[in-house]
PDB file of all heavy atoms in Angstrom:
ATOM      1  N   ASP P 321     -49.761   2.788  35.589  1.00 89.00           N
ATOM      2  CA  ASP P 321     -48.785   2.726  36.669  1.00 89.00           C
ATOM      3  C   ASP P 321     -47.413   3.114  36.119  1.00 89.00           C
ATOM      4  O   ASP P 321     -46.850   2.406  35.275  1.00 89.00           O
ATOM      5  CB  ASP P 321     -48.750   1.319  37.249  1.00 89.00           C
ATOM      6  CG  ASP P 321     -47.873   1.231  38.492  1.00 89.00           C
ATOM      7  OD1 ASP P 321     -47.377   2.285  38.944  1.00 89.00           O
ATOM      8  OD2 ASP P 321     -47.682   0.105  38.995  1.00 89.00           O
ATOM      9  N   PRO P 322     -46.838   4.217  36.555  1.00 89.00           N
ATOM     10  CA  PRO P 322     -45.519   4.626  36.042  1.00 89.00           C
ATOM     11  C   PRO P 322     -44.388   3.722  36.504  1.00 89.00           C
ATOM     12  O   PRO P 322     -43.294   3.759  35.933  1.00 89.00           O
ATOM     13  CB  PRO P 322     -45.351   6.049  36.576  1.00 89.00           C
ATOM     14  CG  PRO P 322     -46.223   6.106  37.785  1.00 89.00           C
ATOM     15  CD  PRO P 322     -47.371   5.184  37.524  1.00 89.00           C
ATOM     16  N   ARG P 323     -44.634   2.888  37.527  1.00 90.00           N
ATOM     17  CA  ARG P 323     -43.584   1.976  37.992  1.00 90.00           C
ATOM     18  C   ARG P 323     -43.528   0.688  37.179  1.00 90.00           C
ATOM     19  O   ARG P 323     -42.626  -0.124  37.364  1.00 90.00           O
ATOM     20  CB  ARG P 323     -43.831   1.638  39.466  1.00 90.00           C
ATOM     21  CG  ARG P 323     -43.728   2.842  40.394  1.00 90.00           C
ATOM     22  CD  ARG P 323     -44.195   2.490  41.793  1.00 90.00           C
ATOM     23  NE  ARG P 323     -45.618   2.100  41.802  1.00 90.00           N
ATOM     24  CZ  ARG P 323     -46.268   1.712  42.892  1.00 90.00           C
ATOM     25  NH1 ARG P 323     -45.641   1.645  44.052  1.00 90.00           N
ATOM     26  NH2 ARG P 323     -47.555   1.381  42.806  1.00 90.00           N
ATOM     27  N   GLU P 324     -44.482   0.491  36.273  1.00 90.00           N
ATOM     28  CA  GLU P 324     -44.490  -0.703  35.440  1.00 90.00           C
ATOM     29  C   GLU P 324     -43.356  -0.638  34.415  1.00 90.00           C
ATOM     30  O   GLU P 324     -43.165   0.390  33.759  1.00 90.00           O
ATOM     31  CB  GLU P 324     -45.833  -0.828  34.724  1.00 90.00           C
ATOM     32  CG  GLU P 324     -46.000  -2.084  33.905  1.00 90.00           C
ATOM     33  CD  GLU P 324     -46.187  -3.314  34.754  1.00 90.00           C
ATOM     34  OE1 GLU P 324     -46.584  -3.172  35.931  1.00 90.00           O
ATOM     35  OE2 GLU P 324     -45.946  -4.433  34.237  1.00 90.00           O
ATOM     36  N   PRO P 325     -42.537  -1.729  34.281  1.00 89.00           N
ATOM     37  CA  PRO P 325     -41.457  -1.715  33.268  1.00 89.00           C
ATOM     38  C   PRO P 325     -42.032  -1.535  31.855  1.00 89.00           C
ATOM     39  O   PRO P 325     -43.012  -2.174  31.486  1.00 89.00           O
ATOM     40  CB  PRO P 325     -40.804  -3.095  33.429  1.00 89.00           C
ATOM     41  CG  PRO P 325     -41.138  -3.515  34.822  1.00 89.00           C
ATOM     42  CD  PRO P 325     -42.502  -2.959  35.099  1.00 89.00           C
ATOM     43  N   GLY P 326     -41.425  -0.649  31.094  1.00 89.00           N
ATOM     44  CA  GLY P 326     -41.884  -0.350  29.747  1.00 89.00           C
ATOM     45  C   GLY P 326     -42.869   0.801  29.660  1.00 89.00           C
ATOM     46  O   GLY P 326     -43.450   1.024  28.590  1.00 89.00           O
ATOM     47  N   TYR P 327     -43.067   1.555  30.768  1.00 90.00           N
ATOM     48  CA  TYR P 327     -44.028   2.662  30.759  1.00 90.00           C
ATOM     49  C   TYR P 327     -43.410   3.891  30.104  1.00 90.00           C
ATOM     50  O   TYR P 327     -42.232   4.213  30.311  1.00 90.00           O
ATOM     51  CB  TYR P 327     -44.456   2.990  32.187  1.00 90.00           C
ATOM     52  CG  TYR P 327     -45.304   4.235  32.291  1.00 90.00           C
ATOM     53  CD1 TYR P 327     -46.656   4.205  31.949  1.00 90.00           C
ATOM     54  CD2 TYR P 327     -44.757   5.434  32.720  1.00 90.00           C
ATOM     55  CE1 TYR P 327     -47.441   5.339  32.030  1.00 90.00           C
ATOM     56  CE2 TYR P 327     -45.531   6.579  32.813  1.00 90.00           C
ATOM     57  CZ  TYR P 327     -46.864   6.532  32.458  1.00 90.00           C
ATOM     58  OH  TYR P 327     -47.628   7.662  32.540  1.00 90.00           O
ATOM     59  N   GLN P 328     -44.236   4.588  29.311  1.00 89.00           N
ATOM     60  CA  GLN P 328     -43.849   5.856  28.687  1.00 89.00           C
ATOM     61  C   GLN P 328     -44.970   6.859  28.931  1.00 89.00           C
ATOM     62  O   GLN P 328     -46.131   6.609  28.575  1.00 89.00           O
ATOM     63  CB  GLN P 328     -43.614   5.691  27.188  1.00 89.00           C
ATOM     64  CG  GLN P 328     -42.417   4.822  26.840  1.00 89.00           C
ATOM     65  CD  GLN P 328     -42.199   4.733  25.335  1.00 89.00           C
ATOM     66  OE1 GLN P 328     -42.727   5.530  24.576  1.00 89.00           O
ATOM     67  NE2 GLN P 328     -41.406   3.753  24.916  1.00 89.00           N
ATOM     68  N   ALA P 329     -44.593   7.982  29.526  1.00 88.00           N
ATOM     69  CA  ALA P 329     -45.573   9.028  29.812  1.00 88.00           C
ATOM     70  C   ALA P 329     -45.926   9.779  28.537  1.00 88.00           C
ATOM     71  O   ALA P 329     -45.156   9.785  27.568  1.00 88.00           O
ATOM     72  CB  ALA P 329     -45.021   9.982  30.868  1.00 88.00           C
ATOM     73  N   PRO P 330     -47.070  10.423  28.491  1.00 87.00           N
ATOM     74  CA  PRO P 330     -47.435  11.200  27.298  1.00 87.00           C
ATOM     75  C   PRO P 330     -46.471  12.349  27.052  1.00 87.00           C
ATOM     76  O   PRO P 330     -46.139  13.105  27.968  1.00 87.00           O
ATOM     77  CB  PRO P 330     -48.846  11.724  27.613  1.00 87.00           C
ATOM     78  CG  PRO P 330     -49.364  10.828  28.684  1.00 87.00           C
ATOM     79  CD  PRO P 330     -48.173  10.404  29.474  1.00 87.00           C
ATOM     80  N   GLY P 331     -45.996  12.473  25.838  1.00 77.00           N
ATOM     81  CA  GLY P 331     -45.122  13.575  25.454  1.00 77.00           C
ATOM     82  C   GLY P 331     -43.701  13.461  25.931  1.00 77.00           C
ATOM     83  O   GLY P 331     -42.949  14.440  25.852  1.00 77.00           O
ATOM     84  N   CYS P 332     -43.259  12.317  26.435  1.00 71.00           N
ATOM     85  CA  CYS P 332     -41.888  12.212  26.940  1.00 71.00           C
ATOM     86  C   CYS P 332     -40.867  12.218  25.815  1.00 71.00           C
ATOM     87  O   CYS P 332     -39.691  12.523  26.039  1.00 71.00           O
ATOM     88  CB  CYS P 332     -41.736  10.972  27.803  1.00 71.00           C
ATOM     89  SG  CYS P 332     -42.074   9.434  26.920  1.00 71.00           S
ATOM     90  N   PHE P 333     -41.281  11.871  24.609  1.00 64.00           N
ATOM     91  CA  PHE P 333     -40.362  11.871  23.484  1.00 64.00           C
ATOM     92  C   PHE P 333     -40.723  12.929  22.442  1.00 64.00           C
ATOM     93  O   PHE P 333     -40.252  12.877  21.316  1.00 64.00           O
ATOM     94  CB  PHE P 333     -40.350  10.491  22.796  1.00 64.00           C
ATOM     95  CG  PHE P 333     -39.706   9.424  23.631  1.00 64.00           C
ATOM     96  CD1 PHE P 333     -40.474   8.536  24.362  1.00 64.00           C
ATOM     97  CD2 PHE P 333     -38.327   9.315  23.694  1.00 64.00           C
ATOM     98  CE1 PHE P 333     -39.883   7.551  25.124  1.00 64.00           C
ATOM     99  CE2 PHE P 333     -37.734   8.331  24.465  1.00 64.00           C
ATOM    100  CZ  PHE P 333     -38.511   7.445  25.189  1.00 64.00           C
ATOM    101  N   ASP P 334     -41.558  13.907  22.824  1.00 61.00           N
ATOM    102  CA  ASP P 334     -41.913  14.960  21.869  1.00 61.00           C
ATOM    103  C   ASP P 334     -40.722  15.833  21.520  1.00 61.00           C
ATOM    104  O   ASP P 334     -40.619  16.364  20.415  1.00 61.00           O
ATOM    105  CB  ASP P 334     -43.044  15.824  22.432  1.00 61.00           C
ATOM    106  CG  ASP P 334     -44.364  15.059  22.456  1.00 61.00           C
ATOM    107  OD1 ASP P 334     -44.424  13.987  21.814  1.00 61.00           O
ATOM    108  OD2 ASP P 334     -45.310  15.530  23.106  1.00 61.00           O
ATOM    109  N   SER P 335     -39.803  16.004  22.485  1.00 61.00           N
ATOM    110  CA  SER P 335     -38.622  16.835  22.213  1.00 61.00           C
ATOM    111  C   SER P 335     -37.759  16.233  21.110  1.00 61.00           C
ATOM    112  O   SER P 335     -37.161  16.951  20.309  1.00 61.00           O
ATOM    113  CB  SER P 335     -37.801  17.009  23.495  1.00 61.00           C
ATOM    114  OG  SER P 335     -37.389  15.733  23.994  1.00 61.00           O
ATOM    115  N   LEU P 336     -37.709  14.899  21.061  1.00 61.00           N
ATOM    116  CA  LEU P 336     -36.943  14.261  19.993  1.00 61.00           C
ATOM    117  C   LEU P 336     -37.565  14.546  18.637  1.00 61.00           C
ATOM    118  O   LEU P 336     -36.862  14.817  17.654  1.00 61.00           O
ATOM    119  CB  LEU P 336     -36.867  12.757  20.246  1.00 61.00           C
ATOM    120  CG  LEU P 336     -36.146  12.315  21.523  1.00 61.00           C
ATOM    121  CD1 LEU P 336     -36.201  10.798  21.648  1.00 61.00           C
ATOM    122  CD2 LEU P 336     -34.699  12.801  21.513  1.00 61.00           C
ATOM    123  N   TRP P 337     -38.895  14.498  18.549  1.00 62.00           N
ATOM    124  CA  TRP P 337     -39.560  14.802  17.286  1.00 62.00           C
ATOM    125  C   TRP P 337     -39.337  16.258  16.899  1.00 62.00           C
ATOM    126  O   TRP P 337     -39.141  16.578  15.720  1.00 62.00           O
ATOM    127  CB  TRP P 337     -41.065  14.517  17.398  1.00 62.00           C
ATOM    128  CG  TRP P 337     -41.394  13.067  17.505  1.00 62.00           C
ATOM    129  CD1 TRP P 337     -41.794  12.392  18.612  1.00 62.00           C
ATOM    130  CD2 TRP P 337     -41.358  12.107  16.447  1.00 62.00           C
ATOM    131  NE1 TRP P 337     -42.010  11.072  18.331  1.00 62.00           N
ATOM    132  CE2 TRP P 337     -41.755  10.871  17.001  1.00 62.00           C
ATOM    133  CE3 TRP P 337     -41.033  12.173  15.098  1.00 62.00           C
ATOM    134  CZ2 TRP P 337     -41.826   9.707  16.248  1.00 62.00           C
ATOM    135  CZ3 TRP P 337     -41.112  11.015  14.345  1.00 62.00           C
ATOM    136  CH2 TRP P 337     -41.499   9.796  14.908  1.00 62.00           C
ATOM    137  N   ILE P 338     -39.371  17.157  17.875  1.00 70.00           N
ATOM    138  CA  ILE P 338     -39.185  18.585  17.575  1.00 70.00           C
ATOM    139  C   ILE P 338     -37.792  18.836  17.034  1.00 70.00           C
ATOM    140  O   ILE P 338     -37.589  19.578  16.069  1.00 70.00           O
ATOM    141  CB  ILE P 338     -39.470  19.428  18.835  1.00 70.00           C
ATOM    142  CG1 ILE P 338     -40.953  19.303  19.215  1.00 70.00           C
ATOM    143  CG2 ILE P 338     -39.091  20.878  18.610  1.00 70.00           C
ATOM    144  CD1 ILE P 338     -41.302  19.975  20.530  1.00 70.00           C
ATOM    145  N   GLU P 339     -36.773  18.237  17.674  1.00 72.00           N
ATOM    146  CA  GLU P 339     -35.406  18.406  17.196  1.00 72.00           C
ATOM    147  C   GLU P 339     -35.232  17.848  15.791  1.00 72.00           C
ATOM    148  O   GLU P 339     -34.552  18.429  14.950  1.00 72.00           O
ATOM    149  CB  GLU P 339     -34.433  17.730  18.165  1.00 72.00           C
ATOM    150  CG  GLU P 339     -34.354  18.380  19.532  1.00 72.00           C
ATOM    151  CD  GLU P 339     -33.794  19.790  19.467  1.00 72.00           C
ATOM    152  OE1 GLU P 339     -33.006  20.079  18.529  1.00 72.00           O
ATOM    153  OE2 GLU P 339     -34.141  20.603  20.339  1.00 72.00           O
ATOM    154  N   ALA P 340     -35.851  16.689  15.525  1.00 71.00           N
ATOM    155  CA  ALA P 340     -35.743  16.105  14.190  1.00 71.00           C
ATOM    156  C   ALA P 340     -36.401  16.991  13.138  1.00 71.00           C
ATOM    157  O   ALA P 340     -35.877  17.176  12.033  1.00 71.00           O
ATOM    158  CB  ALA P 340     -36.373  14.712  14.183  1.00 71.00           C
ATOM    159  N   LEU P 341     -37.561  17.597  13.483  1.00 73.00           N
ATOM    160  CA  LEU P 341     -38.234  18.485  12.539  1.00 73.00           C
ATOM    161  C   LEU P 341     -37.430  19.749  12.299  1.00 73.00           C
ATOM    162  O   LEU P 341     -37.361  20.251  11.164  1.00 73.00           O
ATOM    163  CB  LEU P 341     -39.630  18.830  13.062  1.00 73.00           C
ATOM    164  CG  LEU P 341     -40.649  17.676  13.084  1.00 73.00           C
ATOM    165  CD1 LEU P 341     -41.950  18.135  13.740  1.00 73.00           C
ATOM    166  CD2 LEU P 341     -40.923  17.184  11.670  1.00 73.00           C
TER     167      LEU P 341
END
Side-chain angles (χ1 to χ4, degrees):
D321 187 5
R323 296 171 297 178
E324 184 73 21
Y327 172 78
Q328 293 182 16
C332 61
F333 290 100
D334 289 347
S335 59
L336 297 178
W337 291 106
I338 294 174
E339 293 295 332
L341 291 175

